[in-house]
């Protein structure tokens, strides 16, 4: 993909008009997520404020508010003068800081709603997987659950975790649920492992084992409950961390 | 060979002995042969791509330098030919290479997909193991089966979350160099396309019937209660299914170990 085509794709996804009621927090969060996903790179210059405001479909005042929030979080730097403008600040070693910034920009209400959405998708996928998974699917799920135990870094854990949930939706034989899991994980996946402390890692990995066990036992209701409880526990940890952060 | 519709010698006696009507069984066998031949045409082109990849690998190895990604660029023409010739059936095709095969890339997917107008585009996949979106193809059935058996394989139906993002079959042929497995050539076929080819004939059997994979996964069905994606009971005969064609009916497995059954009415 050429850089101009890439720019078009990014413009469509990042700068799509916001829903009615979109505010500075939403603009700031979308930009912060783009930074954590690596869509906006360190040192990259953002389009002019007026252009950015019209792309997001917000007023210049709202856009300036959003940029101020990102400046406070250290994700954007504004320089004056001829070569001035707003520039992305995302040095490689600041990934955890960036993810925290995304969390800070999400309200408790939004976090709870994301948790509800994830629990609905994961619960339905687990139930259908318990009804439909064949021996080969179970072996795949066990393998990826094992990879989560072996994962050493947060990136590895997030990747193994996302893969288990995508594989469960695939074992449910549902392309739509699979695409939904993929989209949820690319949107909020970085957040999931943020509040997990080192001494909690084994327990989170064991939660996945129990979920896979209930699918392997072909017990649809238990599988659904295991998935829902698992996502609810993750949401609880995130809410807890978000509440301890206070207001942005 | 065991007569159609009868259990093979030594098989457990079904709880409700069921014999398929020979005319019905013959029509089912013809339907299964038809879809097998159609998919066989795609698999033949996949095997050609695999053979071309083997020639490239062998020629490069003979002259000394390590294999590089660009060495395989001549395959693009063969892949495009496959996607054009099989437009409406094959949704994607290409090669993947075993980790460590190339000198200039740890992993390699050279895969193209065709849109409904048969426009061919390159697939971009994140192969950086450090990335959270990293895709490890070496764990998939379509990669592992040719690696394990050295034979062509037809994996699926499965949810392909990388290329088609749909319910898909992947046909694959191993690529070998100096007796060593170095990857697979493959093509993706959407389950919806197989349904389009099979459903009219299946409905024409005049009985509620399913086409199922060798793993016991329903591929095409005329039953609303046993839709595609459902798993057949482990012992279909004992559960009242009548085998009509394929290994499930005692016929030797051909290119595809798929079987046709009538569905019990309850």
């Amino acid at each position: 993909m050429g850089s101009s085509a890439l720019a078009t794709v990014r413009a469509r996804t990042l700068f799509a008009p916001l829903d009615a009621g979109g505010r500075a927090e939403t603009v700031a969060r979308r930009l912060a997520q783009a930074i954590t996903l690596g869509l906006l790179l360190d040192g990259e210059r953002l389009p002019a404020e007026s252009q950015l405001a019209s792309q997001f479909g917000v007023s210049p005042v709202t856009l300036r508010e959003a940029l101020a929030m990102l400046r406070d979080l250290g994700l954007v730097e504004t320089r004056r003068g001829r070569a001035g403008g707003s520039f992305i600040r995302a040095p490689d070693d600041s990934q955890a800081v960036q993810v925290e910034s995304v969390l800070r920009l999400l309200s408790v209400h939004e976090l709870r709603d994301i948790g509800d959405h994830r629990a609905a998708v994961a619960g339905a996928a687990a139930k259908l997987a318990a009804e439909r998974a064949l021996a080969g699917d179970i072996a795949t799920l066990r393998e990826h659950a094992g990879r989560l135990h072996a994962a050493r870094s947060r990136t590895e854990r997030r990747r193994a975790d996302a893969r288990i949930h995508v594989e469960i939706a695939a074992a449910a034989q549902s392309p739509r649920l699979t695409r939904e899991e993929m989209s949820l994980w690319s949107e909020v996946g970085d957040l999931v492992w943020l509040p997990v402390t080192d001494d909690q890692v084994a327990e989170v990995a064991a939660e996945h084992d129990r979920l896979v066990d209930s699918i392997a036992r072909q017990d649809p209701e238990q599988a659904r409950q295991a998935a829902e409880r698992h996502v609810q526990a993750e949401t609880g940890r995130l809410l807890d961390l978000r509440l301890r952060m206070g207001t942005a | 060979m065991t007569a159609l519709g009868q259990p093979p010698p030594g098989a457990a006696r079904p709880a409700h002995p069921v014999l398929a009507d020979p005319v019905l069984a013959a029509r089912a066998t013809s339907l299964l042969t038809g879809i097998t031949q159609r998919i066989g045409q795609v698999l033949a082109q996949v095997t050609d791509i695999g053979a071309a990849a083997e020639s490239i690998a062998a020629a490069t190895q003979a002259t000394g330098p390590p294999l590089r990604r660009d060495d395989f660029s001549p395959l693009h023409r063969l892949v495009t030919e496959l996607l054009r010739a099989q437009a409406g059936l094959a949704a994607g095709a290409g090669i993947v290479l075993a980790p460590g095969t190339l000198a200039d890339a740890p992993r390699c997917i050279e895969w193209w997909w065709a849109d409904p107008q048969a426009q061919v585009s390159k697939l971009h996949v994140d192969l950086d193991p450090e990335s959270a979106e990293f895709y490890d193809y070496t764990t998939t059935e379509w990669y592992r089966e040719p690696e394990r058996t050295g034979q062509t394989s037809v994996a699926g139906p499965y949810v392909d979350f990388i290329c088609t993002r749909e319910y898909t079959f992947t046909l694959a042929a191993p690529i070998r160099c100096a007796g060593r497995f170095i990857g697979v050539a493959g093509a993706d076929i959407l389950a919806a396309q197989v349904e389009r080819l099979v459903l009219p004939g299946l409905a024409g059997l005049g009985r509620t019937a399913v086409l199922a994979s060798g793993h016991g996964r329903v591929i095409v069905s005329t039953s609303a209660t046993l839709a595609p994606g459902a798993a057949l009971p482990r012992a279909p005969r004992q559960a009242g299914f009548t085998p009509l064609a394929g290994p499930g009916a005692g016929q030797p497995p051909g290119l595809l170990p798929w079987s046709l059954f009538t569905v019990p009415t309850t």
Side-chain angles (χ1 to χ4, degrees), chain B:
Chain B
M1 195 175 92
T2 312
L4 292 181
Q6 290 187 346
R13 192 178 164 76
H16 305 286
V18 274
L19 294 178
D21 163 3
V23 175
L24 187 63
R27 283 163 61 203
T29 301
S30 156
L31 182 61
L32 187 58
T33 306
I35 186 64
T36 303
Q37 284 174 348
R38 187 71 190 81
I39 289 176
Q41 291 167 4
V42 183
L43 193 54
Q45 280 190 278
V46 168
T47 306
D48 287 347
I49 294 170
E54 289 188 346
S55 302
I56 289 169
T60 311
Q61 208 191 37
T63 58
L67 274 172
R68 307 186 79 82
R69 194 183 190 104
D70 283 351
D71 294 335
F72 291 95
S73 56
L75 296 179
H76 183 198
R77 187 179 57 79
L78 288 176
V79 171
T80 304
E81 278 173 18
L82 183 155
L83 292 174
R84 298 246 161 90
Q86 307 296 341
L89 186 58
I95 62 162
V96 306
L97 297 176
T101 301
L102 296 180
D104 57 345
R107 288 162 187 264
C108 173
I109 294 185
E110 296 281 299
W111 209 268
W112 289 266
W113 54 276
D115 68 13
Q117 285 74 45
Q119 290 295 309
V120 174
S121 315
K122 183 95 186 271
L123 177 73
H124 293 268
V125 179
D126 187 349
L127 295 176
D128 173 10
E130 294 305 310
S131 154
E133 311 303 329
F134 168 63
Y135 174 54
D136 181 7
Y137 52 80
T138 64
T139 62
T140 61
E141 184 191 358
W142 55 264
Y143 180 90
R144 279 184 174 172
E145 275 303 292
E147 181 183 31
R148 187 178 67 83
T149 65
Q151 307 290 317
T152 59
S153 87
V154 178
Y158 71 103
V159 178
D160 168 20
F161 46 79
I162 301 305
C163 182
T164 65
R165 298 199 158 202
E166 292 291 352
Y167 211 37
T168 303
F169 297 96
T170 300
L171 324 182
I175 304 171
R176 304 179 66 80
C177 179
R180 201 164 49 89
F181 171 86
I182 60 163
V184 306
D188 299 320
I189 292 180
L190 300 186
Q193 298 297 351
V194 173
E195 176 181 301
R196 191 175 57 79
L197 293 172
V198 172
L199 191 55
L202 199 62
L205 294 178
R207 300 278 297 275
T208 308
V210 294
L211 172 65
S213 76
H215 294 304
R217 176 78 69 203
V218 174
I219 300 166
V220 184
S221 168
T222 63
S223 162
T225 52
L226 195 69
L232 282 189
R234 289 227 174 90
R237 286 165 188 252
Q238 279 82 345
F241 289 75
T242 307
L244 296 177
Q251 296 172 344
L255 186 61
L256 300 170
W258 295 357
S259 297
L260 280 157
F261 295 89
T262 63
V263 178
T265 46
T266 48

